[in-house]
Amino acid sequence: LAAHLGLEVPQAAVVNVAAGFEAIVPPSLASAFRASPGRNFGSVHLGTSFTTWAVGRSPAGVQRDQAAEIFAFDLLVQNADRRATNPNLWSRAERVGVYDHEQAFSFLHLPIIGGAPRPWALADQVGAFRFMEGHAFYPSLRGAKLNLGPFEGRLTALSDEVIEGLLEPVPAEWRQGHDLCAKTADYLREARKERTAFLNFVKHLLR
């Protein structure tokens, strides 16, 4: 989803962890591998020439538009973990990339009275998204002139076929006992329909 919306992101992969693999990894990681044999979520290595985004660093030049799109993406998936103290960002030349989205869409499986909040719904905009004020890019984007036109275009192009294609690789065993894939598809279709209201709220947050 991040890649479709124009963000720099490591290529996702399903990694099969063989039983006994924990014997060849550092001891500090062994228990995690031992507890999760079989299929796991992973990503292709970024290679060289990238740097981790330092705490307190601000985007400059063309990075500002990328930062605005990352902010919009994190609001869309309601990712509260790209904080000023934990950016989960990397850069290569003038490109800014993202990683670590384990909290994305977590609102879809939480028992929330009245249903999950929607950032395009007026009733939900008051108070439900205060966590975005702690976003790594919130201070540097406030009051800035934002160019979210390309992001809007890619959100418009998030067709039903694209959404199904994004969800199709999810292994069958990861789908058992819940309907999160269906809920995610419904949420993204609604976001596409309400994209104007959604992007207006992004601009409101960063006014």
Side-chain angles (χ1 to χ4, degrees), residues 131-142:
F131 67 86
M132 292 300 295
E133 294 179 5
H135 192 276
F137 288 141
Y138 180 75
S140 56
L141 291 176
R142 289 198 69 191

Side-chain angles (χ1 to χ4, degrees), residues 114-184:
R118 265 54 175 170
W120 48 84
L122 287 175
D124 293 334
Q125 290 176 358
V126 180
F129 300 99
R130 294 293 297 274
F131 67 86
M132 292 300 295
E133 294 179 5
H135 192 276
F137 288 141
Y138 180 75
S140 56
L141 291 176
R142 289 198 69 191
K145 184 178 181 180
L146 306 178
N147 177 20
L148 290 170
F151 187 91
E152 181 176 11
R154 291 186 287 266
L155 186 55
T156 302
L158 191 66
S159 64
D160 290 354
E161 292 74 20
V162 171
I163 293 171
E164 292 305 318
L166 294 173
L167 295 171
E168 189 275 332
V170 178
E173 58 265 37
W174 294 1
R175 299 171 178 258
Q176 295 176 0
H178 62 80
D179 59 351
L180 291 179
C181 283
K183 287 181 177 179
T184 300

Side-chain angles (χ1 to χ4, degrees), residues 33-169:
F33 281 102
R34 187 181 301 111
S36 188
R39 293 185 175 186
N40 287 261
F41 177 83
S43 61
V44 176
H45 194 276
L46 284 171
T48 59
S49 304
F50 77 91
T51 57
T52 302
W53 194 269
V55 171
R57 179 180 174 183
S58 296
V62 296
Q63 293 177 339
R64 293 180 67 82
D65 286 342
Q66 298 170 55
E69 293 187 343
I70 291 170
F71 185 92
F73 172 78
D74 285 331
L75 176 61
L76 176 66
V77 302
Q78 301 188 35
N79 173 30
D81 198 31
R82 202 176 320 283
R83 305 183 306 277
T85 56
N86 183 40
N88 290 331
L89 297 162
W90 54 275
S91 63
R92 179 182 286 133
E94 294 184 330
R95 296 297 300 173
V96 182
V98 296
Y99 64 91
D100 192 359
H101 302 105
E102 64 184 35
Q103 293 188 22
F105 298 110
S106 59
F107 58 94
L108 291 178
H109 65 79
L110 295 174
I112 301 175
I113 296 176
R118 265 54 175 170
W120 48 84
L122 287 175
D124 293 334
Q125 290 176 358
V126 180
F129 300 99
R130 294 293 297 274
F131 67 86
M132 292 300 295
E133 294 179 5
H135 192 276
F137 288 141
Y138 180 75
S140 56
L141 291 176
R142 289 198 69 191
K145 184 178 181 180
L146 306 178
N147 177 20
L148 290 170
F151 187 91
E152 181 176 11
R154 291 186 287 266
L155 186 55
T156 302
L158 191 66
S159 64
D160 290 354
E161 292 74 20
V162 171
I163 293 171
E164 292 305 318
L166 294 173
L167 295 171
E168 189 275 332

